[in-house]
Amino acid sequence: MNTSNIESYTLKQYTRLIISFFGCLLVLSIYQYTTLYFKGVVDIIFGASFFIALFHQLGFASITGVILVFPFNFWEKLRPSYGFNLIFGVLILLLMIEAMLISYYCTALVPLGSDLLGYSFGDIKMTIANSGGMSISLVIGILVIAGMFFGLYKITSKYYHHISKMYPFTIILFSLFITTLFIDGKPINQNKTQYLAINLYDTSTEDTSYNSDVEYPLIKRPQMENVLGDYFELKEEKPNIVFIMVEGLGRDFVGEGAEFEGFTPFLDELSTKSLYWENCLSNTGRTFGVLPSLLGSLPFGKSGFMELEEYPNKLTLFSILKNNGYHTSFYQGTNSSFDNVEKFLRSENIDFILDKSGFGKNYEMQAEDAAGSSWGYPDKELFKKSMSLQRNAKQPRLEVYMTISNHEPFIPPKQVFYEKKVKELLANSGHGGKTKKIIEKNDNVFATLLYTDDALKWVMEAYKRQPNYDNTIFIITGDHRLIPIPQRNNISRFHVPLMIYSPMLKSTRKMSSVNSHFDVSPSILSMLNAVYELKMPKKVAWMGDVLDMQTEFRSVKDIPLMRNKNELKEYISGETVYSDGSVYNIDENMDLSSSFGGSKAKKKLSDFKAMNAYVTANNKIIPDSLAIFNIQKEEFKESEIVWINSVFTGKNFDKAYLHAKDLAFDKEYEKSLLLSRYILSEVPGHIDTKILMGRVNAWDGKYNKAIEILQECISMVPDYVDSYAALFDVFFWSDKPKQAMELIEQVEQNSSSVDEIAAKIARARREYRKKRQTASTSFEE
């Protein structure tokens, strides 16, 4: 190709590109502040914060211009127009990234940072899909930005004679960038792409080396004060323990003096009948950390404990109570594979897990959002399903719920009814000014709060009809504060209520001392052990201590707080709060005021990060001798691993399942079962693989083994019709028509897809009638 006639671009055109780039960043800033204004988050669009944002956008455009001028010149000299086209494409890409990050910020009210590293692609995809998806407005916005960028580039040609007088332009750009470094920026007015890049760099280069000769730094003796015992009239039998972790339930919405009070009337009343800690902190700012913190008082690991590739030995309420005769269960309306919840629970040998796949046809999923996605089953449906399950009155139970309704996109059942109720409550409340505006702009969020509060009221009434209600202790708390509602300060997202309610309570009490989820399990176990002398490990490794029962405000604990996956930036040490480089004092209203001398808290955070990385990466929480359930991994011979690696080299277990299925169809039964075992060792809940193992055993003539596996599948996922289809086949092949008839009643009760296997059901009925006729004829003869 002859390039001699193609005109080469110069710094004149490059300058116009950078100016057009800044112009688009300016438009994106206007979009951000306008969106936040109409959501009630900011009081004014073109205020001081907006102009600080312009300076930061100018700085980002400047440093981008300085960096990209070198590849521009290089490629233009190498081949005309290549440098221009390359930079044009890069700038468009940066604008698209900034547009998406601003859209995320306007929803979450926190910028996306290094926590991005803590999520798999599947997690990100599921979160986006179930939070409203990639809305059409965002796609249109990106197209508009691209068109505007090109349009601005065309317009700047008319004014270049003014720009050309600048000398030299790169020095001016660099000077502008340096200037912005001295302008204090907050997440709201920082360039979001720059914020993300700096956070990723800081996290990947952070030194977390552990400098101590203490092999197990968390080990301590379990003799802790029984701070709860005096408030309970415990019975001779061990009590049932029920945890309800409520999505988004922040202290700002619950209890006396709440900023947005009035939208959780049942919980407000319950708090006066309970042991109530108004200043409890969730140790993580997102749901990913609530289970390990609340039920295990466990450290975080790099991206959250449940994200660890290999779990270290640990002690949790699940394992300790199971070891003391408790039946352990977990109930959730969404997919339990998200955030590795199922993996964590299976490592604790939990008895029963209910998730999105196990509800059946009698329960209605949450309405789909504009993108056609649904998180799963709303809170009242979750509670209804749980209450329908049989419970053994003779065995104590640990039951743990995780609700989902208080989450984007905030579409509660009977939405119109609850939004009307929000308006009525608001009209009769004392809310005014900015608070009233926020409620009005987010009526769907507050409608969802009302729905969840009603659901909690329903389930507490339903428990009164369950076995041993009088011997049950309820622990209710939030996993974090609702994200979309503006927060007062950097610890608001962690500030949640904590209530312990029971018919066995002798007296109620309201505590204003600062505690965290780390303190809950040690306190519960201390009370149970004092009365029932549990089989307890000789030593434990809790991150927390017992709950502080002080009624007056005080903050005396050291509490690390993980904002997002991969973002460990807050640490509370007494009344000092270290947050992302700034130091504050905390007061009785959980408000923060600027302070000095936070070097001690900063050092404690640094030491915690090192210890946290060491114990989780090196299996140094507790030694093997203290573990109740050692992590059991499926063992494979070296030759088996070599073969597995030869046919499966990635992490797409669905693809591996299809390969195992092909092997089974080719009658390579041993290899199919080997690959299936490997899949289940990594993804225990991969139901299709487990069903395949049942079918393969049947095809190989091992009917009893096949029946055992398939019945386990039905127990795991009662609604999944494929398990029943396979089991009907096995009963047919093994001549068990009576068992097939019993299975018909089970599938009709549990599965919403029963029509798909109508032919197998009809066959089972024919075989049963034929068997009875044969038996009747034989009897007459």
Side-chain angles (χ1 to χ4, degrees):
M1 178 180 176
N2 184 8
T3 60
S4 59
N5 295 326
I6 300 177
E7 183 181 353
S8 180
Y9 288 90
T10 65
L11 284 178
K12 173 181 177 180
Q13 287 82 17
Y14 180 78
T15 303
R16 289 166 55 197
L17 281 178
I18 299 302
I19 292 173
S20 303
F21 179 62
F22 169 68
C24 291
L25 291 175
L26 168 62
V27 172
L28 286 174
S29 292
I30 294 173
Y31 162 76
Q32 173 189 287
Y33 278 86
T34 302
T35 301
L36 295 177
Y37 173 77
F38 282 107
K39 288 184 70 174
V41 179
V42 298
D43 298 324
I44 188 172
I45 297 174
F46 300 108
S49 178
F50 173 80
F51 291 105
I52 292 174
L54 292 193
F55 273 107
H56 282 282
Q57 296 290 25
L58 182 60
F60 180 69
S62 300
I63 193 61
T64 302
V66 171
I67 292 171
L68 294 182
V69 71
F70 300 105
F72 172 82
N73 282 326
F74 174 80
W75 284 103
E76 277 299 320
K77 290 177 181 178
L78 188 67
R79 198 161 189 176
S81 80
Y82 270 39
F84 179 87
N85 291 334
L86 172 67
I87 301 307
F88 191 94
V90 169
L91 294 178
I92 286 289
L93 178 62
L94 287 174
L95 288 172
M96 291 171 63
I97 292 171
E98 182 70 5
M100 288 187 285
L101 291 175
I102 284 176
S103 181
Y104 175 88
Y105 179 79
C106 289
T107 299
L109 301 183
V110 289
L112 190 63
S114 55
D115 54 312
L116 181 67
L117 295 174
Y119 290 92
S120 68
F121 176 75
D123 286 351
I124 294 171
K125 184 178 178 182
M126 184 182 294
T127 301
I128 292 174
N130 291 310
S131 298
M134 192 68 71
S135 67
I136 188 67
S137 60
L138 179 59
V139 175
I140 293 173
I142 290 172
L143 294 175
V144 169
I145 287 294
M148 186 175 297
F149 179 62
F150 183 75
L152 284 174
Y153 174 75
K154 290 293 186 182
I155 292 171
T156 53
S157 64
K158 299 178 181 179
Y159 304 98
Y160 184 75
H161 61 282
H162 297 298
I163 301 167
S164 63
K165 296 176 183 178
M166 298 180 183
Y167 172 84
F169 188 66
T170 52
I171 293 179
I172 293 173
L173 290 177
F174 189 71
S175 300
L176 288 171
F177 172 69
I178 294 297
T179 302
T180 60
L181 297 180
F182 295 96
I183 299 175
D184 186 31
K186 301 297 182 184
I188 188 174
N189 47 43
Q190 289 177 320
N191 177 274
K192 305 303 183 286
T193 307
Q194 183 176 327
Y195 181 93
L196 174 61
I198 291 173
N199 270 265
L200 291 173
Y201 174 79
D202 289 345
T203 300
S204 60
T205 58
E206 187 175 40
D207 180 18
T208 55
S209 54
Y210 180 69
N211 300 311
S212 175
D213 57 359
V214 180
E215 186 178 7
Y216 293 95
L218 288 175
I219 287 288
K220 62 184 78 171
R221 294 197 174 276
Q223 284 84 6
M224 293 183 174
E225 184 183 357
N226 179 15
V227 296
L228 300 177
D230 290 342
Y231 298 92
F232 287 87
E233 190 71 58
L234 292 178
K235 302 180 184 295
E236 185 176 342
E237 300 83 12
K238 299 186 188 78
N240 301 317
I241 309 292
V242 178
F243 279 83
I244 304 179
M245 301 176 294
V246 184
E247 171 73 38
L249 188 68
R251 168 65 177 91
D252 287 343
F253 309 97
V254 178
E256 183 183 5
E259 182 179 3
F260 300 98
E261 70 176 318
F263 297 95
T264 56
F266 171 71
L267 286 178
D268 292 344
E269 182 182 1
L270 190 67
S271 69
T272 65
K273 301 176 181 179
S274 307
L275 298 178
Y276 171 49
W277 290 262
E278 65 173 350
N279 291 326
C280 184
L281 296 169
S282 173
N283 295 96
T284 56
R286 286 286 198 180
T287 310
F288 71 89
V290 65
L291 263 176
S293 299
L294 188 63
L295 276 297
S297 196
L298 290 165
F300 304 125
K302 183 175 177 60
S303 303
F305 191 91
M306 294 193 299
E307 292 295 320
L308 294 171
E309 190 169 333
E310 297 289 339
Y311 291 146
N313 291 325
K314 60 191 181 303
L315 297 169
T316 73
L317 210 58
F318 286 116
S319 57
I320 292 174
L321 292 188
K322 182 178 174 67
N323 197 42
N324 282 273
Y326 275 74
H327 179 274
T328 57
S329 55
F330 177 82
Y331 308 95
Q332 184 178 27
T334 190
N335 192 337
S336 62
S337 65
F338 187 71
D339 279 336
N340 290 319
V341 167
E342 183 188 22
K343 177 184 173 185
F344 177 78
L345 295 172
R346 297 289 181 199
S347 73
E348 291 299 282
N349 280 12
I350 193 165
D351 293 309
F352 177 76
I353 297 174
L354 171 72
D355 76 349
K356 182 179 179 179
S357 62
F359 275 70
K361 64 181 181 180
N362 297 323
Y363 302 90
E364 189 172 345
M365 288 183 66
Q366 178 178 291
E368 294 181 347
D369 57 27
S373 298
S374 171
W375 268 117
Y377 291 88
D379 298 344
K380 188 175 283 188
E381 296 297 289
L382 169 68
F383 295 139
K384 285 180 179 178
K385 176 64 180 180
S386 166
M387 292 296 101
S388 73
L389 302 173
Q390 293 295 317
R391 287 165 167 81
N392 183 353
K394 297 181 180 180
Q395 184 180 18
R397 307 184 305 273
L398 170 62
E399 301 182 345
V400 180
Y401 294 87
M402 184 179 286
T403 73
I404 65 166
S405 290
N406 281 332
H407 193 285
E408 296 90 350
F410 300 104
I411 309 175
K414 299 165 60 178
Q415 184 172 3
V416 173
F417 167 80
Y418 283 109
E419 287 183 354
K420 182 180 178 182
K421 197 171 180 181
V422 169
K423 289 183 175 64
E424 293 171 354
L425 287 171
L426 185 57
N428 297 318
S429 73
H431 294 306
K434 184 177 180 179
T435 302
K436 182 179 180 181
K437 184 178 179 182
I438 290 172
I439 296 170
E440 289 174 337
K441 298 294 183 182
N442 296 276
D443 58 344
N444 62 324
V445 176
F446 289 91
T448 308
L449 267 174
L450 285 170
Y451 163 75
T452 291
D453 188 69
D454 276 353
L456 290 167
K457 180 179 181 179
W458 185 92
V459 77
M460 293 299 287
E461 288 296 319
Y463 260 105
K464 293 179 181 180
R465 300 186 291 273
Q466 289 294 323
N468 301 328
Y469 166 75
D470 291 338
N471 193 25
T472 302
I473 297 173
F474 298 89
I475 298 99
I476 302 174
T477 187
D479 59 347
H480 58 80
R481 182 193 184 277
L482 276 168
I483 299 298
I485 303 301
Q487 301 167 32
R488 289 179 293 125
N489 54 53
N490 286 11
I491 64 168
S492 290
R493 69 183 303 155
F494 305 101
H495 190 191
V496 296
L498 171 66
M499 303 175 201
I500 299 182
Y501 171 79
S502 174
M504 295 179 287
L505 268 179
K506 293 190 293 184
S507 61
T508 63
R509 185 179 175 99
K510 176 184 174 182
M511 277 64 64
S512 296
S513 49
V514 177
N515 292 272
S516 82
H517 281 169
F518 281 156
D519 305 318
V520 176
S521 283
S523 302
I524 296 293
L525 285 170
S526 179
M527 178 178 67
L528 296 180
N529 190 42
V531 177
Y532 303 104
E533 297 183 358
L534 302 180
K535 291 185 287 183
M536 288 281 291
K538 295 179 180 179
K539 293 183 179 180
V540 294
W542 309 131
M543 284 295 306
D545 206 325
V546 291
L547 290 159
D548 188 345
M549 304 296 293
Q550 182 76 24
T551 56
E552 302 299 320
F553 172 81
R554 72 174 179 182
S555 181
V556 295
K557 295 176 180 284
D558 285 345
I559 305 173
L561 302 170
M562 192 174 220
R563 186 185 303 177
N564 288 305
K565 292 183 180 181
N566 249 25
E567 287 194 316
L568 227 175
K569 297 189 174 185
E570 275 82 24
Y571 195 92
I572 295 179
S573 181
E575 294 187 6
T576 301
V577 179
Y578 180 82
S579 176
D580 207 4
S582 299
V583 183
Y584 306 93
N585 282 333
I586 188 171
D587 66 19
E588 65 273 10
N589 297 316
M590 299 299 276
D591 288 327
L592 301 182
S593 56
S594 296
S595 182
F596 300 96
S599 58
K600 187 176 292 186
K602 182 179 180 181
K603 176 67 163 54
K604 285 185 176 182
L605 175 58
S606 178
D607 291 344
F608 172 77
K609 285 182 178 181
M611 182 277 294
N612 172 64
Y614 164 73
V615 298
T616 52
N618 297 285
N619 193 13
K620 296 297 181 182
I621 297 178
I622 58 171
D624 291 347
S625 59
L626 294 179
I628 294 175
F629 300 124
N630 293 98
I631 305 302
Q632 300 292 328
K633 289 286 288 183
E634 182 84 33
E635 293 186 1
F636 299 93
K637 300 175 183 176
E638 289 184 6
S639 59
E640 291 176 332
I641 290 295
V642 170
W643 178 81
I644 290 169
N645 290 337
S646 72
V647 297
F648 178 57
T649 57
K651 288 196 172 183
N652 187 338
F653 291 98
D654 288 334
K655 189 174 181 180
Y657 156 72
L658 292 175
H659 188 72
K661 191 175 178 181
D662 289 339
L663 289 169
F665 288 166
D666 292 337
K667 297 188 178 181
E668 296 275 359
Y669 296 147
E670 288 189 13
K671 288 183 177 180
S672 177
L673 290 172
L674 173 58
L675 185 54
S676 296
R677 280 173 47 219
Y678 177 76
I679 295 168
L680 291 172
S681 73
E682 298 295 324
V683 190
H686 201 288
I687 189 69
D688 286 321
T689 299
K690 200 169 181 70
I691 293 171
L692 177 64
M693 289 187 71
R695 284 193 174 278
V696 170
N697 274 282
W699 294 337
D700 201 24
K702 300 171 183 174
Y703 297 126
N704 290 337
K705 180 66 175 176
I707 292 169
E708 178 185 342
I709 292 171
L710 293 171
Q711 286 176 337
E712 287 177 6
C713 292
I714 292 171
S715 297
M716 286 173 60
V717 190
D719 183 51
Y720 197 40
V721 75
D722 286 15
S723 303
Y724 299 97
L727 192 51
F728 274 122
D729 286 340
V730 177
F731 285 150
F732 175 68
W733 297 330
S734 58
D735 193 24
K736 297 181 185 296
K738 182 179 179 182
Q739 289 87 334
M741 287 298 294
E742 293 170 354
L743 188 61
I744 292 174
E745 182 178 350
Q746 191 175 0
V747 67
E748 288 179 340
Q749 178 180 347
N750 292 332
S751 181
S752 56
S753 306
V754 66
D755 292 342
E756 296 177 13
I757 57 171
K760 294 181 186 290
I761 292 174
R763 182 184 64 186
R765 289 192 169 114
R766 285 198 306 272
E767 292 300 313
Y768 182 70
R769 287 195 298 268
K770 188 187 300 182
K771 191 82 170 179
R772 290 193 65 181
Q773 288 171 358
T774 303
S776 176
T777 302
S778 299
F779 177 76
E780 291 173 0
E781 291 176 353

